[in-house]
Every structure is written in C-alpha cells, then in structure tokens.
Amino acid sequence: MIKARVTVTLKNGVLDPQGKAIEGALSALGFEGVDHVRQGKVFDLELEGTDKTKAEAELKAMCEKLLANTVIENYTISIA
Amino acid sequence: MIKARVTVTLKNGVLDPQGKAIEGALSALGFEGVDHVRQGKVFDLELEGTDKTKAEAELKAMCEKLLANTVIENYTISIA
C-alpha cells in the first residue's frame, strides 16, 4: 500500500478572499506582520499496490480530473 | 521575511464525509484501489522579521487560536 499526499494551492495572481479573511482575522486577534495568507487543500490517500511510478501517474490523473482545478490551481504530489 | 506553511488535518477517528465523497467520486471516475481519503487544509503565510524561533511560537499560537480546531484537528508547521 502506498500513502500519498496531494497539496493543491491557488496559482499566483488568483485572488484568495478566504486567505484575505484569515489575514484580517489574525490581525484582529493581535497577530501583527502577517501577510500574503493563502489557503489551499491537502488530500491524504492510500493506494493499493507497491509500484510508486504507477501510483504517481495515477495521482497525476486524479489531480487533473478531480482534485485540482488546473485553470486556477497548482498541485504537488508527494509519495511516502 | 519568513515563509511558512501550516497543514491542518483531521485527527484519526474523526469522520471525514468530504474525504468519503472524494473517494466515491474517484471510484466513479474509474480509479480503483484508492482508500482512506482524508481532506485537510493548508495555509501559506508570510511573517515579518527573521527570527524563526519567534515565528514558530507565533504560528503555534495562530493555530491554537484560529487556524485549527484542536479538538478534532492536528496541525504541523513548516518554516521555509
């Protein structure tokens, strides 16, 4: 079994109102000097089999088809 | 300026209906053998200053107060 983590983040230049809201909330809580907050998603998955090359190709296909919106999001795959 | 990434994931044993839905969707798309999908959040932040120890303490406080719900979520902090 292969454990993998997919991290999906917004591309540079894409507005992130959620990140802005978090920035405002942190500032309201007294945390100074916090800037450029961006929120993304992380997916932890387990795949059957032991072939890491195959798993990576499959994960890439999953990202392209479902996990990430590649118009506005980047993704990184890390296999444990 | 310090760049940091905070990853927030659900604790083991906490139900993740969103992860289950993704698992179902992946299966419907023809991806076989995918199991234990869990979704989490990732925050990228920039902090003023250069003191990494201070930054880590501050990030920990941010997680405890706002970014994570420590009853059901774990968090990890990585500083670039």
Side-chain angles (χ1 to χ4, degrees):
Chain A
M1 180 216 301
I2 292 169
K3 288 193 181 200
R5 168 165 284 186
V6 173
T7 309
V8 176
T9 51
L10 283 172
K11 287 186 178 174
N12 284 335
V14 178
L15 288 178
D16 182 4
Q18 202 173 5
K20 276 284 163 214
I22 294 164
E23 211 174 294
L26 285 172
S27 164
L29 283 170
F31 294 105
E32 301 294 331
V34 185
D35 211 3
H36 292 103
V37 180
R38 311 275 285 169
Q39 179 165 2
K41 285 172 281 189
V42 61
F43 303 96
D44 290 315
L45 311 93
E46 287 177 16
L47 287 95
E48 269 173 20
T50 51
D51 184 343
K52 290 194 179 184
T53 317
K54 193 185 146 220
E56 193 163 352
E58 207 165 39
L59 284 162
K60 213 178 152 197
M62 287 180 207
C63 288
E64 297 284 340
K65 283 193 187 165
L66 182 76
L67 301 179
N69 175 354
T70 53
V71 177
I72 55 165
E73 291 171 330
N74 292 320
Y75 60 85
T76 55
I77 294 166
S78 72
I79 292 177
Chain B
M1 180 216 301
I2 292 168
K3 288 195 181 199
R5 170 166 283 187
V6 173
T7 310
V8 176
T9 50
L10 283 171
K11 288 185 179 175
N12 283 336
V14 178
L15 288 177
D16 182 3
Q18 202 173 3
K20 277 282 163 214
I22 294 163
E23 211 174 294
L26 285 172
S27 164
L29 283 170
F31 295 105
E32 301 294 331
V34 185
D35 210 3
H36 293 104
V37 180
R38 310 275 285 170
Q39 180 166 1
K41 286 172 281 189
V42 61
F43 303 97
D44 290 316
L45 309 95
E46 286 178 18
L47 286 96
E48 270 174 18
T50 51
D51 183 342
K52 290 194 179 182
T53 317
K54 192 183 146 218
E56 191 162 354
E58 207 164 40
L59 285 162
K60 216 180 150 196
M62 287 179 206
C63 288
E64 297 284 341
K65 282 193 186 168
L66 183 76
L67 301 179
N69 176 354
T70 53
V71 177
I72 55 165
E73 291 171 330
N74 292 321
Y75 60 86
T76 55
I77 294 165
S78 71
I79 292 177

